[in-house]
Each structure stands twice: as structure tokens, then as C-alpha cells.
Amino acid sequence: MRLIRSEMSYLSKFYENTNPLNLFKSGDIALQGNEEKQLEKKGVLKDGKLLPAADELFRPAADPERCSRIMLREGDYLVEKYAYKKGEEHVLVENYSGDVVFSPAGNMEQLKFQLSQWVGLSNFISFELNANLPNDELIVFMAIADIRREKELLGYLGQETEDEIPFAAIRKQLEAPVPGSIASILINSYKFPVPEIGDTKGILDRLVAEKIVDFRKGKTQAGYVLLGQYEDFAKRFLIPQTIVMLETFNLGEGKEIVGVGMLCLWAGMREIITLSLKEGSTEIASVSGFQLLEIMEDFLNCPYVRP
């Protein structure tokens, strides 16, 4: 069932409530005057009344207890999938060029197939990465990883570079991150705070103590190098191409919204990481395409979130 925004606005009168997750809240969408006629053609209304089959499809999105969103972006291409749940009632929703497409939850397998065309079905990963870092450590680590990735790419072009990354280069990547880099994504799109210059040295000292980086002298300069799994990640996760944002929300007893989110970055069929966003820290992990598809399905099933 595909509806345009003005039709959604027209139907809002059938679903008036105070639920902040209500998809049918009309907002500022102006009516065109032909909504009732068009909705009758689509089998939504008859004699100005909502038909039972349509109500059964729309009801979970009109007064949901839980909802989830998947947003997948690659370049200018954007995919938005939603799920709404009330009790055992469950509906899938898609933003399709501004229109809203409803489908029963029984279409989950078809939806998973569509998503698999983006993330793949491989069970293999090319590096192991598992860590839970405070957000200030994560953003400094990612700035270093971005620079390390650039050095790796320059190596493919036959250019020699030193492994050591000086403090000044790290600060430059934090203050003016290269477009498309991981630091740029986190800082510009997800509002990760940039540490002050006076705090960055202390953060680097913590990363050294945690054996994520080391500080050493090179041929011409001293600087920081990544260690172990963190170095493997930076060498293999070369060009982030696809961004997937997963969010799920629950409605509390007092109508408050409780939610959790996960960011996924895709740089190849076997180069995928997830970043589970928590208060003050982020859990980062490498996953396979098949695992990412399972994570997406879990979100679309609208899991319970603890307050």
C-alpha cells in the first residue's frame, strides 16, 4: 500500500492520539482536496470510512509501542526502512521518494533479500576488531586510522610513506577531517565532539597504555603507530562506501521515548564494522555481511529497550 504525504495527513483524523511515535501525525502537510477519492481507489476508504483491512495494516504505525528505522546511504542513494509494532501487530514501512509504502511483516524475507543486495551474504571477515572505547578515545583512534588508511592507499600508488603519525597530523584530521573519512562521518554527521588540543595528548597517552597505539621515532619524525587488531583494521578498511544507521525506540509508561542506535560502515564485502552508540562510549566490532543482515532483521523486529 503506497500513500502520498497528503493522504497520510488526511488519514490522521482516524488516528488521533498523543503517541509521539504516531506515523500519522499530520504536521504541516497541506491537503489537495482529492484525498478521499484517491484513498477509495486504493481500497483504504469506503463511504468516508476506514476499511478493516486497511486499518489492520495501518494500526501498528498509528499507535506503536515500539518502532525501528534503518537508513542506508551510498553516495546520493538513500534507502529508508521502518518497522512499527504494537503487541503482536507488526507492519513494515518504507520511505519511497517521499511516499510511504506499507507492507505486512510477513514480507520480511523479501525485505531481507533487498538489503542483502547492498551488504552481501558473506560469512567471512578480513580482520578482527572488538573494543569498547570512551568516545574521546574513539574519535582520536579513528583520526589516526584515517591517516593510516591514506598511507596504505598511497603505498598502492608506489609512494613511500613513514608509518609514524605526528601529533600535528592527528590534530589536523580532528579539526578538519578529510571528507568521506571515518572521523568526518562521526564528527559531521553524528556530532562526536572533537577533544580540545590540550586534552588530545592525554587521550593519546591512554591509547598507548591500552596498547591501541604506540609512540616511536621514525627515520625523519617521531609519531604514533597503530598496534595489533587496530593496525589490521586501518590497513584493510580502506574506503568507506556505505553507511547504515540503525535505530530502535520504545514508548515508556509515561509516553517517554527510550532508544538505542548503531552505526554500520561498509568498505567491502568482508570489511564491515558496527559502532554501538552508548552514553559516553562506543562498542566497535567487525562483522560479516550475513551478520549485519541478521542485525538489521533484529532491529526490524522492534526489540525491547530497557529504560
Side-chain angles (χ1 to χ4, degrees):
M1 177 70 68
R2 181 171 175 173
L3 304 178
I4 63 174
R5 292 291 180 178
S6 63
E7 292 168 348
M8 293 283 292
S9 182
Y10 182 88
L11 289 172
S12 66
K13 66 182 181 181
F14 296 99
Y15 296 112
E16 293 179 347
N17 58 50
T18 59
N19 190 329
L21 299 177
N22 181 356
L23 182 61
F24 287 88
K25 286 187 177 294
S26 59
D28 297 324
I29 304 298
L31 298 181
Q32 300 176 11
N34 64 344
E35 284 79 15
E36 183 174 342
K37 182 178 179 180
Q38 293 301 317
L39 289 168
E40 285 185 352
K41 288 182 179 180
K42 294 179 179 182
V44 175
L45 298 177
K46 185 175 182 180
D47 299 327
K49 296 182 180 180
L50 197 61
L51 290 173
D55 180 54
E56 182 179 353
L57 184 64
F58 299 151
R59 197 165 51 232
D63 192 20
E65 297 169 345
R66 291 174 275 174
C67 72
S68 295
R69 177 176 72 158
I70 292 178
M71 185 170 64
L72 183 153
R73 183 185 294 277
E74 183 172 315
D76 295 331
Y77 198 90
L78 177 66
V79 175
E80 284 186 273
K81 308 282 188 181
Y82 299 81
Y84 293 84
K85 205 166 190 178
K86 182 175 184 179
E88 295 303 313
E89 296 180 332
H90 190 189
V91 65
L92 303 175
V93 180
E94 179 179 1
N95 179 353
Y96 190 85
S97 299
D99 294 349
V100 183
V101 180
F102 291 82
S103 58
N107 289 11
M108 183 71 78
E109 289 302 315
Q110 179 182 346
L111 176 54
K112 285 172 58 182
F113 175 78
Q114 293 173 358
L115 293 171
S116 74
Q117 304 307 296
W118 290 94
V119 303
L121 288 169
S122 174
N123 276 309
F124 297 101
I125 57 177
S126 64
F127 57 86
E128 293 279 354
L129 180 63
N130 287 281
N132 190 354
L133 299 177
N135 287 341
D136 58 353
E137 291 186 13
L138 178 75
I139 197 64
V140 172
F141 157 61
M142 285 301 184
I144 298 171
D146 284 335
I147 300 168
R148 181 65 183 88
R149 290 188 304 106
E150 182 181 8
K151 290 176 179 287
E152 187 72 11
L153 289 168
L154 290 173
Y156 285 112
L157 297 176
Q159 297 186 32
E160 291 189 9
T161 61
E162 289 194 50
D163 292 339
E164 294 75 18
I165 300 170
F167 180 84
I170 298 170
R171 281 304 307 177
K172 181 179 178 181
Q173 177 62 6
L174 288 169
E175 294 171 2
V178 174
S181 65
I182 301 176
S184 173
I185 293 169
L186 295 179
I187 293 168
N188 296 326
S189 298
Y190 296 95
K191 308 308 177 186
F192 270 63
V194 175
E196 296 291 336
I197 188 168
D199 297 327
T200 306
K201 182 60 170 65
I203 296 169
L204 287 165
D205 289 342
R206 280 152 48 195
L207 293 175
V208 170
E210 294 162 13
K211 300 188 184 306
I212 295 172
V213 303
D214 194 13
F215 183 81
R216 69 188 189 195
K217 292 182 178 180
K219 293 180 180 178
T220 63
Q221 62 185 7
Y224 295 89
V225 294
L226 293 167
L227 300 175
Q229 62 176 343
Y230 304 96
E231 167 74 355
D232 290 341
F233 157 69
K235 288 173 61 177
R236 296 179 183 274
F237 198 89
L238 294 178
I239 304 176
Q241 300 173 49
T242 304
I243 301 172
V244 182
M245 185 67 201
L246 306 171
E247 297 173 306
T248 191
F249 303 98
N250 288 190
L251 193 64
E253 294 181 1
K255 298 289 186 181
E256 75 280 5
I257 296 176
V258 181
V260 296
M262 176 182 287
L263 175 65
C264 309
L265 301 177
W266 190 99
M269 297 297 289
R270 301 175 188 83
E271 293 80 31
I272 306 170
I273 58 170
T274 61
L275 295 100
S276 299
L277 311 176
K278 303 175 182 179
E279 188 172 353
S281 68
T282 300
E283 185 177 337
I284 180 172
S286 54
V287 297
S288 67
F290 185 77
Q291 287 174 312
L292 178 54
L293 199 61
E294 288 186 320
I295 292 170
M296 289 178 169
E297 182 179 12
D298 287 343
F299 270 80
L300 288 171
N301 280 316
C302 301
Y304 172 73
V305 179
R306 291 184 179 183

